[in-house]
Amino acid sequence: MLIELSVRRLYCENAACGKVTFVEQVPGLTVRYQRRTPLLRHMVEAVGVLLAGRGGARMLRVLGVALSRCTVLSQLMRIPLPPLQTPRVLGVDDFALYRDTYGTLLVDATTRLPLTLWEDEVAGAGVA
């Protein structure tokens, strides 16, 4: 989709000003220094969260947006992480990764999401 948009270009009369020109922004449609509208950015973020790189790029191509997998991942990395909440119930799982290398996985038992992984030879020392 191509949007033709006419906006005013304003000039700064102050010679000491680093910005020479300013362009009028259209609320909800344009954002400074962006190449995509907020609606398209949200769509790329939503597809990126669900399908990540290659799958996200393929799905966006079906929707008529030609972006590379790197662009989808880059947009995905710009999304701020949700605030951390202290888990109410913590699950701990010790397991062997390799012959003498063990790991400990901490899981939030209510959401079933992994919190952290410790890879250590000492982590499984007490495991029989």
Side-chain angles (χ1 to χ4, degrees):
M1 172 187 287
L2 179 64
I3 299 173
E4 280 193 42
L5 184 64
S6 296
V7 293
R8 294 181 291 179
R9 182 175 294 272
L10 308 170
Y11 296 94
C12 183
E13 296 177 359
N14 185 359
C17 182
K19 300 284 184 186
V20 179
T21 63
F22 301 90
V23 177
E24 178 181 38
Q25 299 298 315
V26 179
L29 185 61
T30 60
V31 180
R32 290 180 62 187
Y33 306 114
Q34 299 297 313
R35 298 184 64 101
R36 294 179 201 90
T37 63
L39 184 62
L40 178 59
R41 182 176 50 86
H42 290 305
M43 184 172 67
V44 172
E45 287 174 358
V47 170
V49 166
L50 294 173
L51 300 173
R54 282 197 178 112
R58 287 182 190 137
M59 177 58 106
L60 287 169
R61 197 173 310 120
V62 169
L63 296 173
V65 180
L67 292 176
S68 71
R69 64 184 172 89
C70 295
T71 305
V72 174
L73 291 175
S74 175
Q75 188 65 42
L76 182 62
M77 296 302 291
R78 288 189 188 117
I79 300 175
L81 293 173
L84 292 177
Q85 296 178 354
T86 305
R88 294 178 57 192
V89 180
L90 187 65
V92 179
D93 185 20
D94 291 325
F95 58 94
L97 291 171
Y98 306 107
R99 180 178 298 167
D100 292 330
T101 305
Y102 299 93
T104 302
L105 179 66
L106 297 180
V107 179
D108 184 352
T110 56
T111 62
R112 297 182 180 176
L113 295 175
L115 299 174
T116 187
L117 172 65
W118 293 329
E119 183 179 343
D120 191 15
E121 292 182 13
V122 181
V127 177

